[in-house]
């Protein structure tokens, strides 16, 4: 059975459930799926496909970016997909960045106040600005797909500097914006996007969390 890894980074915990949902969808197509925090992954050699997810935390989560850089060579042989959680995205109509198809949760982007001239915050929250460091980290390999979804934000859990950044730059109201329909629909298409062929006649696989059955 083909083995797929869903690796995630998180600051406040909400990306963990997203990784689980992504893993469950892939397992429905008959793959063995491991869902693991990035910190627990040493080697990718046993995997036929890898999905790496993390939230925007003043740029994409640093540990997720480091993970991509560290395994850059392995991704020459193992197809890679990426997902990004965010609370703010400027509507620009982009459907790909750097030649990589991007699936955007339709409920996330907000139109700019003036389309002719984006302000600082709107320029910061452009898809290309969010994704460029990810594409640089995997170069020369490109992910087969990138999913960008609304996340969850709770001010009560944050340190003062994080609250300040979010209030000034992200300017997103606290709350739940994870769109499970969009997340699961992107994930269901991953086996095809990763071009992993499931052996004929195999039954639906299992999503295993943290390596525990
Ligand atoms: C310090 C901090 C910085 C953030 N920076 C951004 C950002 O630049 N752009 C954005 O859209 N969302 C940003 N967010 C929102 C998070 O990406 C969102 O809340 C995410 O779902 C958190 O995932 P987690 O619960 O797994 O940590 C930020 C949140 C925090 C706390």
């Amino acid at each position: 059975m083909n083995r797929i890894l869903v690796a995630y980074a998180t600051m406040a915990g909400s990306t963990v459930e997203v990784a689980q949902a992504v893993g469950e969808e892939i397992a429905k197509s008959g793959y063995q799926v491991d869902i693991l925090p990035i910190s627990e992954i040493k080697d990718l050699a046993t995997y036929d496909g890898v999905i790496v997810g993390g939230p925007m935390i003043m740029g994409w989560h640093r540990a997720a970016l480091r993970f991509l850089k560290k395994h850059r060579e392995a991704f020459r042989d193992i197809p890679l997909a990426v997902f990004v959680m965010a609370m703010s995205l400027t509507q620009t109509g982009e459907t790909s960045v750097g030649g990589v198809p991007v699936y955007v949760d339709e409920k996330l982007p907000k139109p700019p106040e003036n389309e002719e001239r984006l302000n600082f915050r709107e320029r910061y929250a452009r898809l290309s600005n969010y994704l460029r460091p990810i594409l640089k980290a995997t170069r020369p390999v490109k992910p087969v797909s990138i999913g960008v979804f609304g996340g969850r934000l709770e001010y009560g859990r944050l340190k003062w500097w994080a609250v300040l950044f979010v209030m000034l730059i992200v300017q997103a109201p606290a709350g739940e914006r994870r769109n499970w329909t969009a997340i699961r629909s992107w994930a269901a298409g991953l086996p095809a996007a990763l071009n992993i062929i499931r052996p004929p006649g195999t039954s639906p696989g299992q999503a295993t969390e943290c390596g525990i059955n």
Side-chain angles (χ1 to χ4, degrees):
M1 183 184 278
N2 299 81
R3 242 177 118 197
I4 309 289
L5 171 67
V6 181
Y8 62 85
T10 179
M11 184 183 183
S14 68
T15 304
V16 183
E17 287 148 357
V18 179
Q20 282 160 356
V22 168
E24 280 167 21
E25 281 308 312
I26 298 170
K28 282 184 192 166
S29 301
Y31 302 96
Q32 174 65 46
V33 184
D34 290 347
I35 305 157
L36 292 167
I38 268 166
S39 55
E40 286 184 21
I41 302 157
K42 304 272 174 287
D43 190 12
L44 301 182
T46 52
Y47 294 105
D48 303 296
V50 174
I51 294 99
V52 181
M56 290 299 300
I57 303 289
M58 300 188 275
W60 202 43
H61 197 293
R62 302 292 179 280
L65 264 188
R66 275 199 304 273
F67 182 84
L68 290 185
K69 282 183 198 157
K70 181 175 167 195
H71 295 288
R72 182 186 253 160
E73 281 305 311
F75 296 131
R76 285 178 187 269
D77 302 317
I78 308 167
L80 166 75
V82 169
F83 70 85
V84 175
M85 307 307 294
M87 292 303 279
S88 147
L89 186 70
T90 306
Q91 191 168 68
T92 55
E94 290 158 287
T95 54
S96 73
V97 172
V100 176
V102 182
Y103 178 110
V104 179
D105 167 359
E106 61 176 17
K107 293 190 177 152
L108 182 61
K110 257 178 69 183
E113 281 168 23
N114 175 359
E115 293 209 3
E116 307 292 311
R117 197 149 177 261
L118 305 187
N119 62 34
F120 171 78
R121 203 174 43 76
E122 291 164 344
R123 266 186 282 130
Y124 168 77
R126 271 173 312 164
L127 199 58
S128 50
N129 190 45
Y130 280 1
L131 304 189
R132 206 176 301 120
I134 296 175
L135 299 181
K136 201 172 157 206
T138 62
R139 221 184 274 162
V141 173
K142 290 182 182 182
V144 297
S145 174
I146 300 181
V148 182
F149 306 102
R152 187 185 71 189
L153 184 65
E154 287 169 76
Y155 282 111
R157 292 171 177 236
L158 303 180
K159 299 214 165 48
W160 67 268
W161 56 266
V163 172
L164 200 66
F165 177 83
V166 174
M167 286 176 98
L168 290 176
I169 306 295
V170 182
Q171 291 193 4
E176 172 69 84
R177 293 192 65 188
R178 287 174 298 176
N179 175 350
W180 298 109
T181 310
I183 291 163
R184 286 185 179 275
S185 142
W186 175 73
L190 284 177
L194 292 163
N195 200 15
I196 304 158
I197 315 295
R198 180 161 64 96
T202 50
S203 54
Q206 262 191 317
T208 307
E209 231 177 282
C210 304
I212 305 159
N213 269 310

